[in-house]
Amino acid sequence: MKIKRALLALSLAAAVGGNAVAQPIKVGELNSYKRFPAFLEPYKKGWQLALEEINTAGGVDGRKLEVVSRDDGGNPGDAVRVADELIARDKVSMLMGEFASNIGLAVSSLAKQRKIVFVAAEPLTDKLVWGDGNRYTFRLRPSTYMQVAMLVPEAVKLKKMRWALVYPNYEYGQSAAASFKKLMTAAQPGIRIVAEQAPPLGKIDAGAVVQALQDAKPDAIFSALFAADLQKFVREGSLRGLFKGRPVFNLLGGEPEYLDPLKDETPEGWWVTGYPWRQIETPAHKKFLAAYEKRWHDYPRMGSVVGYATMYSVADALKKARSTDSDALIAALEGLEVQTPFGPIVYRAVDHQSTMGAYVGQLAKKNGKGVMVNWHYADGNSFLPPPAEARALRGQ
Amino acid sequence: MTGSAILIQFMNGLAGASSLFLVAAGLSLIFGVTRIVNFAHGSFYMLGLYLAYSLIERFGHGAAGFWAAILVAAVAVAFLGLLVEVFVLRRLYASPELLQLLATFALVLVIQDFTLWVWGPEDLLGPRVPGLDAAVTIVGHRFPQYDLLLIVLGPLILVALHLLLTRTRWGTLVRAATEDREMAGALGVNQKWLFTAVFALGALLAGGGGALQIPREPANLFLDLSVIADAFVVVVVGGLGSVPGAFLAALLIAEIKAFCIGIGSLAIAGHVISLSKLTLVVEFLVMAVVLVLRPWGLLGRLRAQPRGGGGVERPLVLPSRPALYGLGAMAMLLAVLPALTAGYPLILLTDIFVFALFAVSLHFIMGPGGMPSFGHAAYFGLGAYGAGLLLLRGGMPMESALALGPLLGGFAALLFGWFCVRLSGVYMAMLTLAFAQISWSIAFQWDSVTGGSNGLIGIWPAAWLASRTAYYYLTLAVSAGCIVMLWRMLHSPFGYALRAGRDSPLRADAIGIDVRRQQWAAFVVAGIFAAVAGALYVFSKGSISPDALAVPRSVDGLVMVLLGGIQTLTGPVWGAALFTWLQDTASRNVEYWRAVIGLVILALVLAFPQGLAGFLRQRLSPGADEP
């Protein structure tokens, strides 16, 4: 009898104790860390910082948040295997991450098939939420279309008629150019595209491209180049005098990842989308900046903000859903408001796109470094199509 | 284009040609003498650039510092090349052909991660050259001074190399070894040090070529792979081992590129063709045309096949009874596995089955067929696209799409194979690569059909096959069935005739075997089975994008075949299993997982120069490999 009672007490204690140290909630994270390290190392630091903050503040409903992070091998086939393993082996409740558009789309398709929520951090393709959007996929960053739309009002103000386009030859560049043409023609009928150069990604023949653009005698230039292509284009273009008297608009050109390598060759006056981290004085950003610099002894890049905001989106969704069930999570994410270093954002119910924006401004040189001046925050919400149109884009 | 624009674009082309020539010349020399297909050549180039960047930071931005940095970087890379040759490649000259390729591939992985570890992820834009940092005005256009220097430098180095090869004793020995290395050896030339010297010289040219790009190219981690493909194309178009040929090819390709960009777009019969977009693939188009018209490149000649070394292969024998029982038992084990687990092992094994079939189909033409292919992923990818398109655009049920999709790969193999079997050795391999790149660029560009660079998504199996277990069984059954069929074919009269054609084309021809026809048929068979693997792959992933046809996928196939051992029947299966498992495990547990894979492959290559299955066979039946 006594023994029985003792056993009962023991098992009760075990049950209570088990509740006190509740199982952590597992989130699967995957990205092409070794293929795109320039963007993704800061990204990883961003979500790690957010994760530490969340868990220090008590986690989600008293449960710790645990992120199982994996390299996706840098191609869609391996990424799908890794994601599927995160689901089957690590039993994660949600997926987050991804950088390249083709890999992001492949994982979003798996998310739909396995009925698990996927918060895409970085992939820019419009298709992720529109043409190929699905119920289980949400996306944080402003898409290619949105970022182009943010630049267009400034481009229209200049009243230039002859435009030259240069963009990396893959979906991001192609759709950036297509959106630019469409939006510009609507805002300023009669503009002419006098040259269009689409060098292979990472392999721009900068001298020849600059020369070809010059020969077309454009009034202004729209570029979607980034990383090494952008650096080569800037150097050749300045050397050969392409930018003299010609305004240039460059998508993503103000992101520290792509701006910082230019150092004292930063082309002044270019209009760009980016992240002027030194100068954003909002309380939300100052708090983030201080925490990031304290934790990593480094300044944040665009990727840092993306990683940080993605992690908070996931945590807030789990908090609001009070469950790890996919349907509950979808309901929670639709219309979810998240506090980010850029201010509050909302995941739209209609197309699962967040209203995170980007900073639009001009490039300048300061102490041999590139900075953004003259900038303003372009709220994503103002550059998204209205719900009815978005629904049509999703084929609903 | 105006006259002055044409002149400037021509000069842009000349500057580009010099840059290309510097990398390609080293690669051509190395191949000509040692017959090593050096994948790590692009990595040497990348290291040269990174080293030069750091050295300039250290030596200061003055003109003296700049040129000293270039020189030191080139010499440092040459020294690395020397170490690689002495400690790795020298041990592999007696191994089957192409095994050195595996070792250099491992080096690529190690150097990639090493560079990331040392220099960090951010692009490093080097300084302009002091004294040559401005532009001069030529017919009203501004043209960078440094490009003028490059235009002069390329031909100067060509002349220097030419003099070195024709006017020095060392050059004479190198040429002798290029013509017939066994004969040179028999005449008392110390091949060891000749090979080492040539390899170091090649590395010097690659490292120097990279370092010289400092003012034109930011140091970044994509350089190795982007350069290596270009360099190979130049070398093959020019003719393997021919330095003047490499120069001519570099000139041809760089000028064609410059004018594609200069002209921009072209209107033909109402259609606007973007020549700017054509630069994605133009060098491979040039290579395909040149190889079809001149099978040994512009200035190349048919060379004596190296004797000894890998030597004549042992006849393929039917697997012994215990081996058959072993394989049967393994299949049974795999068949009952889902009873034990429903999760993660099935996911990994599904991938392994797919890649095993892919590797066996590649081995079918490479091993018994004697036709190396660097572009086998084309058929894999086309099979996947075929199945995906039939499902999504053709509205076919999944089962029919899976069955009929591979025909697309088969048709491609039928077409490409006809050209490829007319060539041999590395030329053939490079032509397969050219066709693969052309297929890739079509998938990449044809947005309305293939979905462009994003590819197609939502390609899932029918409901009854949708669970992981069901699809596991499907993949196991189809892959195993196809592999057995391929193996069986090798022991049919067709397989015997194929091997006869490989071992002795003349005698095979004399007894009435149409060698080319046999090879063509084998090419198509291998293409169809690779396409079946691709179709299985697409339904297990739910999506397909151009990566599936790209060079890395082809290289993965080669690595699997070589890792397992090209001279054995089951080798590719073990190679596929090991490589896929290694990738999965390493990337899960280690941060620098590519370096780990590279080091493991390097260790395996050095420990088992005959491949895994080759090693096992030697152990299990001693004396079997004695001549």
Side-chain angles (χ1 to χ4, degrees), chain B residues 226-546:
Chain B
S226 93
V227 163
I228 189 66
D230 287 355
F232 266 118
V233 169
V234 168
V235 168
V236 167
V237 169
L240 288 162
S242 162
V243 175
F247 187 80
L248 197 61
L251 194 62
L252 182 72
I253 287 169
E255 288 298 347
I256 290 177
K257 270 195 175 172
F259 281 97
C260 277
I261 295 167
I263 295 166
S265 54
L266 208 59
I268 298 173
H271 288 279
V272 178
I273 297 172
S274 170
L275 292 181
S276 156
K277 286 186 179 169
L278 196 66
T279 52
L280 191 64
V281 62
V282 70
E283 61 264 50
F284 292 97
L285 287 171
V286 170
M287 181 163 78
V289 171
V290 167
L291 287 183
V292 167
L293 297 179
R294 289 186 64 95
W296 293 287
L298 292 173
L299 298 184
R301 279 177 296 142
L302 178 60
R303 305 223 181 257
Q305 287 290 321
R307 292 170 291 268
V312 177
E313 289 195 19
R314 239 162 41 97
L316 213 57
V317 288
L318 279 169
S320 64
R321 207 155 268 274
L324 282 177
Y325 287 144
L327 288 173
M330 198 182 74
M332 295 291 282
L333 203 69
L334 289 172
V336 297
L337 187 74
L340 306 172
T341 168
Y344 145 80
L346 300 191
I347 299 170
L348 187 59
L349 280 168
T350 304
D351 265 20
I352 289 179
F353 298 153
V354 168
F355 290 128
L357 175 57
F358 176 53
V360 169
S361 76
L362 175 61
H363 173 257
F364 187 81
I365 45 171
M366 263 180 79
M371 297 178 283
S373 168
F374 291 175
H376 205 53
Y379 315 104
F380 179 85
L382 287 172
Y385 269 102
L389 288 170
L390 287 177
L391 184 92
L392 294 179
R393 309 244 193 266
M396 251 187 211
M398 175 258 172
E399 295 83 350
S400 337
L402 178 65
L404 296 177
L407 289 178
L408 184 62
F411 285 131
L414 196 68
L415 177 67
F416 300 158
W418 191 85
F419 294 102
C420 291
V421 298
R422 276 156 176 74
L423 273 53
S424 62
V426 175
Y427 289 102
M428 177 184 173
M430 290 303 287
L431 188 58
T432 62
L433 175 68
F435 284 126
Q437 282 297 91
I438 291 166
S439 313
W440 168 82
S441 69
I442 292 171
F444 199 89
Q445 287 291 332
W446 200 3
D447 216 50
S448 55
V449 173
T450 61
S453 63
N454 276 346
L456 306 168
I457 65 169
I459 310 165
W460 292 104
W464 65 282
L465 287 166
S467 78
R468 290 194 189 101
T469 312
Y471 204 76
Y472 170 88
Y473 275 120
L474 178 78
T475 321
L476 176 61
V478 175
S479 293
C482 287
I483 289 173
V484 168
M485 266 202 273
L486 281 168
W487 285 346
R488 178 69 191 82
M489 238 180 267
L490 288 178
H491 293 287
S492 71
F494 169 64
Y496 283 102
L498 189 64
R499 273 172 283 146
R502 173 196 66 183
D503 293 337
S504 181
L506 283 178
R507 282 181 224 174
D509 193 56
I511 57 170
I513 296 172
D514 187 341
V515 174
R516 263 189 198 163
R517 215 191 173 104
Q518 294 289 332
Q519 289 179 328
W520 191 23
F523 201 92
V524 175
V525 168
I528 289 177
F529 282 93
V532 172
L536 284 172
Y537 180 76
V538 70
F539 286 111
S540 77
K541 301 296 178 191
S543 60
I544 181 75
S545 72

Side-chain angles (χ1 to χ4, degrees), chain B residues 31 34-41 88-89 92-93 95-109 199 228 232 362 366 372-374 425-426 429-430 551 554-563 566 598 601-602 605:
Chain B
F31 182 86
T34 64
R35 297 295 147 99
I36 288 177
V37 178
N38 181 22
F39 268 12
H41 208 68
V88 180
L89 298 173
L92 299 176
Y93 289 122
S95 302
E97 222 186 329
L98 293 177
L99 204 76
Q100 302 97 341
L101 183 154
L102 192 57
T104 59
F105 169 75
L107 284 174
V108 170
L109 296 177
F199 200 84
I228 189 66
F232 266 118
L362 175 61
M366 263 180 79
S373 168
F374 291 175
V426 175
M430 290 303 287
V551 180
S554 294
V555 174
D556 283 357
L558 279 173
V559 169
M560 290 167 190
V561 170
L562 295 171
L563 209 52
I566 193 168
I601 293 179
L602 217 49
V605 166

Side-chain angles (χ1 to χ4, degrees), chain A residues 106-326:
Chain A
V107 172
S108 86
S109 183
L110 179 82
K112 184 183 172 199
Q113 181 76 0
R114 300 274 184 258
K115 299 193 171 32
I116 186 166
V117 173
F118 169 46
V119 180
E122 169 70 17
L124 292 180
T125 180
D126 300 322
K127 289 181 183 149
L128 193 63
V129 292
W130 296 338
D132 288 327
N134 68 52
R135 202 174 153 243
Y136 294 87
T137 304
F138 294 78
R139 192 239 318 262
L140 174 80
R141 275 209 82 181
S143 66
T144 313
Y145 168 84
M146 290 164 72
Q147 300 210 37
V148 173
M150 290 169 191
L151 280 177
V152 162
E154 304 297 338
V156 172
K157 279 183 204 159
L158 300 180
K159 300 202 167 43
K160 299 285 186 191
M161 291 313 283
R162 294 167 61 86
W163 284 84
L165 311 182
V166 52
Y167 51 88
N169 185 10
Y170 74 108
E171 199 266 352
Y172 150 77
Q174 291 153 5
S175 77
S179 300
F180 185 79
K181 273 190 246 178
K182 192 178 135 208
L183 291 168
M184 282 301 282
T185 321
Q188 191 188 333
I191 71 154
R192 279 185 60 206
I193 306 295
V194 293
E196 202 168 331
Q197 288 286 336
L201 174 63
K203 296 186 80 172
I204 188 172
D205 204 335
V209 167
V210 164
Q211 189 58 45
L213 294 182
Q214 220 157 15
D215 289 339
K217 300 193 171 50
D219 298 332
I221 297 167
F222 172 80
S223 149
L225 301 173
F226 61 95
D229 286 337
L230 175 62
Q231 295 154 28
K232 287 158 80 174
F233 182 64
V234 167
R235 182 167 274 184
E236 285 288 334
S238 333
L239 257 180
R240 297 177 188 234
L242 172 65
F243 310 133
K244 227 172 238 151
R246 290 194 181 100
V248 180
F249 288 75
N250 203 114
L251 216 57
L252 313 182
E255 297 183 0
E257 285 86 340
Y258 310 129
L259 177 59
D260 291 355
L262 290 170
K263 290 180 282 192
D264 59 344
E265 287 177 52
T266 304
E268 294 190 276
W270 283 26
W271 283 96
V272 294
T273 60
Y275 171 41
W277 61 274
R278 282 188 195 83
Q279 311 156 52
I280 303 171
E281 297 287 341
T282 60
H285 185 263
K286 274 162 92 177
K287 183 171 155 264
F288 163 74
L289 181 63
Y292 191 91
E293 286 185 324
K294 179 160 174 266
R295 176 68 180 84
W296 301 112
H297 308 291
D298 194 5
Y299 63 93
R301 318 296 203 276
M302 188 65 220
S304 317
V305 179
V306 170
Y308 188 82
T310 308
M311 192 74 251
Y312 268 103
S313 304
V314 164
D316 289 358
L318 285 163
K319 274 182 200 162
K320 186 175 161 195
R322 304 190 64 86
S323 150
T324 53
D325 172 64
S326 290

